[in-house]
Structure formats: C-alpha cells, structure tokens
Amino acid sequence: MSSLHKSRIADFQDVLKEPTIALEKLRELSFSGIPCEGGLRCLCWKILLNYLPLERASWTSILAKQRELYSQFLREMIIQPGIAKANMGVSREDVTFEDHPLNPNPDSRWNTYFKDNEVLLQIDKDVRRLCPDISFFQRATEYPCLLILDPQNEFETLRKRVEQTTLKSQTVARNRSGVTNMSSPHKNLAPSAVNEYQVLPSGCEAHWEVVERILFIYAKLNPGIAYVQGMNEIVGPLYYTFATDPNNEWKEHAEADTFFCFTNLMAEIRDNFIKSLDDSQCGITYKMEKVYSTLKDKDVELYLKLQEQNIKPQFFAFRWLTLLLSQEFLLPDVIRIWDSLFADDNRFDFLLLVCCAMLILIREQLLEGDFTVNMRLLQVMEFGGASSSRDRETDTYQAPTPCQLL
C-alpha cells in the first residue's frame, strides 16, 4: 500500500471520527474515490445516500430502528402472506362464504397474492441473471435471513413461492408503461437456461435471493411504480458493496441497509422509470436531450456529426442514464464511478457530464463512422461492461475513471 493511499485512508478516518460529519469535506474526498479498506466505502455511501445522519451519536439507535423496521416488513409482506395462503389452502369451509382463489373482489387476499406473484416472477427472472459474469450472486450468503429460514416454522420463501405458483410456466415482464406481458419461456430460452442455477441446500440462500426480497418489498411499499426491469441493476452494486463489508457486524445487516439506501436512491431517480413523466422536465427524455446539449457545448463538431446522421440520444443514452452506467462498465468500475456520483451535490448533472465524456472519448471513431457503424459503437461500447464477454473477476482491463473521462 502506497504512502499516498495510506494518507487518503487517514483523511477519511479523520472526517468520519468527528462527532458531526463535515459533509462537504466528505463529498470532496469521496469524489476522487473512496478506499474500500476498513469498510470506509460502505460507511460513506450510507452517509451520502442519507441513510445515516451526520451526527455520529445517533447512528447506533437509527440503525437498530431501521433494521427492526425492515424485519417488520419481512413479517408483514413475506411471512404473513405465506401463512395466510397456507391457512386458506387447507380450509374446507364453504368457499361461497370464504375468500377463495376465484374471488373477483379486488380486496380478496387471493387476488392480492396473485397480483404480487406477477411482480415476483419478473423480479425472480431478473435477479437470477444479475451480474452473470461473476459468481458472487449465485454463492450462498454468510448471513441468511433466519427470520424466514426458521427450521421450526418452515415459512414460505420467495424462491418456493415462485416454484409453486401456477404462473411459473410463463415469463412475466412489466415495462415502463405498466403493461404486463406474459409468454412461454420455453419458446425463448435455451434448454440449459431453464435450470441454469443450482438450488442451494435447505437453510441456505444465495445472494440473488436476498436481492429478490429487497426488490419485492420495495415493489409492495411503492405500488405506484412497483418493479420495472432495470431496478435490479441499480440495487446490485449497492448490495454487493454492503455484503462485502469487512466489518462483519455491518455485513450481517447488508440486506436491510441496502433496502433503505436503494429506497433513498430510487426517490431521486424513480422518474426515469415512469413512462408518463418521460416528456416532463424531470423525465428521462429531457435528461437524454441534455446529454446532447452538453455535448454541443463541449464538442460541437461531434454533436453536428451525430445530428447529421440522425442518431438520437434515445438510441443509447436511455440505458446509460436510467441504470447509472451499471451496464457499461465492469462492476469494480461502476462502484468507483458511483463514489463520485453519490459524492457530487448535483449528482445527476455529473452523470450527464460522464455520458458526454464517454462520447468524446470515442469521437474519432464516431467522426469517421457511418450511421450503422456508429450505432453499433454507441450501443456496444468497449468499456468492459455488460456487453463484454470477458471474465470480470480475472480481467485486468481498467476502464477510465470519471476524472480521466472528463
């Protein structure tokens, strides 16, 4: 470890040990990258995402309160519905007077259960393929949720719920318009994809199952937006960071901490996932147009070239902005970019600058290419992200940091 890196760690420790955290100083340090040693990144992200307050003295009580609140969410939204379903399923009373699976009443518990299953099936499909180039999300967590995996009660886990649902033979997808599409997966998936991942032994759960719970509870608590494809790519790096915290006491509560940090982050970017807001000033269309207006200020020649070829920002910037570049870079580089993104007070103006810088970085190819070449280049950029087939755990490729890009 270099003396410069040791000095940076000491600078962070000095800021974080103060009774009241100097937020501006923390942002200034974090913008240039947060060391992972000693759990510094995990702690800084929790502060920068407004999960932890600036007063250190209140951290213990707030964490205990929030983690207990999350446990309550688990009881109410996962454990209790499973118990209720089991009770309803064994009832032999006259179903004309009781709630039953064919009850058309919107307030029917069965009706709610089936609607939740539609959301759950899409979440399940997406989280199982989260970061497929690394094995982390398929591995067993060191801290499975004992509240649900209680051997004395055998509560229904979300994994079992997906396996048992009558909708399991169909693929469910809910788009940003709120439309739910269903189709047979066997028409679209290779035979090996049906049983792509091995189920862990009883009493164990994979990291993707933890992420599935987080997204399901978020969808239940936010019915206006529920779950939209892509949210899994937002929660993934957050959970990975907290679940690899060297502080075992905090790692144990990675699920609850990720949920609240994800909720706070989504409060800032949720408009990107709501189609009805696309053309408003807070919508994704406005932000994509700002990428081009920023490019016009920074590199008018490149801007005019893309305009001449009628290459619209919607063709490539939609994914960049909605997923916070999580699909364009390797996971370690995404985490590094998010250090700067979370630290910047105008974090989404900074995101626009990074997107603009990514265009300028390949300006020579864009200026020389025709429409077809440039479209391919923009949609499959060689930054080592999701489009790369290289192994993320062994690849030595170093993507440019935001500071280098800018």
Side-chain angles (χ1 to χ4, degrees):
M1 184 185 299
S2 68
S3 58
L4 178 61
H5 190 66
K6 290 180 180 178
S7 176
R8 281 188 55 74
I9 292 175
D11 290 341
F12 274 93
Q13 291 172 337
D14 289 343
V15 171
L16 293 171
K17 72 181 181 182
E18 293 295 326
T20 300
I21 306 299
L23 183 58
E24 290 306 314
K25 180 62 176 176
L26 180 63
R27 281 177 171 163
E28 180 183 345
L29 287 172
S30 300
F31 189 83
S32 298
I34 305 172
C36 59
E37 289 84 359
L40 289 175
R41 172 173 283 125
C42 303
L43 177 55
C44 289
W45 278 19
K46 289 169 185 173
I47 296 171
L48 295 171
L49 290 173
N50 301 313
Y51 178 44
L52 288 178
L54 300 180
E55 294 73 25
R56 281 179 53 90
S58 61
W59 287 358
T60 301
S61 61
I62 286 178
L63 287 173
K65 178 182 177 182
Q66 294 298 87
R67 290 164 179 173
E68 175 54 36
L69 177 60
Y70 186 76
S71 295
Q72 186 62 32
F73 290 157
L74 293 176
R75 297 186 189 96
E76 293 178 2
M77 298 175 201
I78 296 181
I79 295 177
Q80 288 301 326
I83 294 174
K85 177 201 168 190
N87 292 337
M88 289 187 290
V90 300
S91 175
R92 291 294 181 267
E93 299 178 23
D94 188 345
V95 295
T96 59
F97 298 104
E98 297 291 332
D99 198 3
H100 58 86
L102 299 181
N103 190 342
N105 189 333
D107 297 328
S108 163
R109 287 181 296 173
W110 278 105
N111 187 50
T112 300
Y113 188 84
F114 290 144
K115 285 186 175 180
D116 288 347
N117 279 353
E118 292 183 11
V119 176
L120 176 59
L121 285 171
Q122 183 181 346
I123 293 174
D124 185 80
K125 177 184 67 175
D126 291 344
V127 297
R128 284 175 182 264
R129 62 190 184 195
L130 184 60
C131 296
D133 294 336
I134 63 173
S135 62
F136 172 80
F137 288 97
Q138 309 309 319
R139 296 202 301 261
T141 172
E142 298 175 52
Y143 300 100
C145 182
L146 300 180
L147 194 63
I148 294 176
L149 300 177
D150 184 349
Q152 302 298 320
N153 293 286
E154 296 185 356
F155 294 132
E156 181 183 54
T157 65
L158 293 184
R159 183 178 70 192
K160 290 181 181 177
R161 181 166 168 176
V162 169
E163 292 170 352
Q164 294 170 0
T165 180
T166 57
L167 294 176
K168 67 181 179 180
S169 62
Q170 294 180 318
T171 295
V172 180
R174 182 175 182 269
N175 62 27
R176 295 170 60 252
S177 302
V179 177
T180 300
N181 299 311
M182 301 170 63
S183 61
S184 173
H186 301 290
K187 295 181 181 179
N188 304 317
L189 297 179
S192 61
V194 177
N195 298 308
E196 186 174 357
Y197 301 118
Q198 184 177 1
V199 176
L200 295 172
S202 177
C204 299
E205 61 179 359
H207 288 290
W208 67 260
E209 295 181 75
V210 180
V211 175
E212 182 174 59
R213 263 199 309 274
I214 293 170
L215 290 169
F216 181 73
I217 291 176
Y218 177 83
K220 289 283 290 179
L221 290 173
N222 297 271
I225 185 172
Y227 173 78
V228 179
Q229 283 180 306
M231 291 182 182
N232 58 308
E233 306 294 350
I234 301 295
V235 74
L238 286 173
Y239 174 74
Y240 175 86
T241 300
F242 294 158
T244 55
D245 192 327
N247 184 331
N248 287 332
E249 181 181 354
W250 283 36
K251 183 195 295 187
E252 181 179 357
H253 299 284
E255 180 176 351
D257 294 346
T258 300
F259 171 80
F260 289 108
C261 287
F262 172 70
T263 299
N264 290 351
L265 180 57
M266 282 300 300
E268 300 184 53
I269 66 173
R270 60 177 290 164
D271 292 348
N272 294 345
F273 294 88
I274 302 175
K275 187 173 178 59
S276 60
L277 297 177
D278 278 1
D279 297 323
S280 68
Q281 192 166 354
C282 61
I284 188 63
T285 301
Y286 176 80
K287 293 173 184 175
M288 288 188 291
E289 293 296 339
K290 282 204 70 175
V291 172
Y292 264 21
S293 63
T294 304
L295 179 63
K296 184 178 181 180
D297 293 336
K298 303 292 184 181
D299 191 334
V300 67
E301 183 183 6
L302 179 56
Y303 166 78
L304 291 174
K305 176 69 174 183
L306 296 177
Q307 289 287 80
E308 175 190 331
Q309 294 183 343
N310 198 28
I311 296 179
K312 302 181 182 300
Q314 289 87 334
F315 297 161
F316 59 91
F318 176 83
R319 185 177 72 182
W320 296 3
L321 295 172
T322 55
L323 304 186
L324 306 183
L325 301 175
S326 61
Q327 290 290 282
E328 315 313 315
F329 296 88
L330 300 172
L331 183 58
D333 299 316
V334 171
I335 291 171
R336 168 61 191 89
I337 290 171
W338 284 16
D339 285 346
S340 299
L341 190 65
F342 296 161
D344 191 74
D345 193 25
N346 300 312
R347 62 183 59 158
F348 301 111
D349 288 339
F350 172 73
L351 179 60
L352 295 175
L353 289 174
V354 174
C355 292
C356 181
M358 289 165 65
L359 294 172
I360 295 174
L361 193 66
I362 57 171
R363 74 183 304 273
E364 298 306 322
Q365 296 108 299
L366 291 172
L367 289 174
E368 294 175 2
D370 58 17
F371 175 85
T372 303
V373 170
N374 285 346
M375 281 296 298
R376 186 181 299 114
L377 183 61
L378 289 168
Q379 292 178 347
V380 190
M381 297 190 73
E382 291 297 328
F383 291 120
S387 60
S388 174
S389 60
R390 293 173 292 183
D391 188 339
R392 296 188 185 186
E393 292 184 322
T394 59
D395 200 329
T396 58
Y397 171 84
Q398 294 294 319
T401 67
C403 296
Q404 292 172 327
L405 287 170
L406 295 171

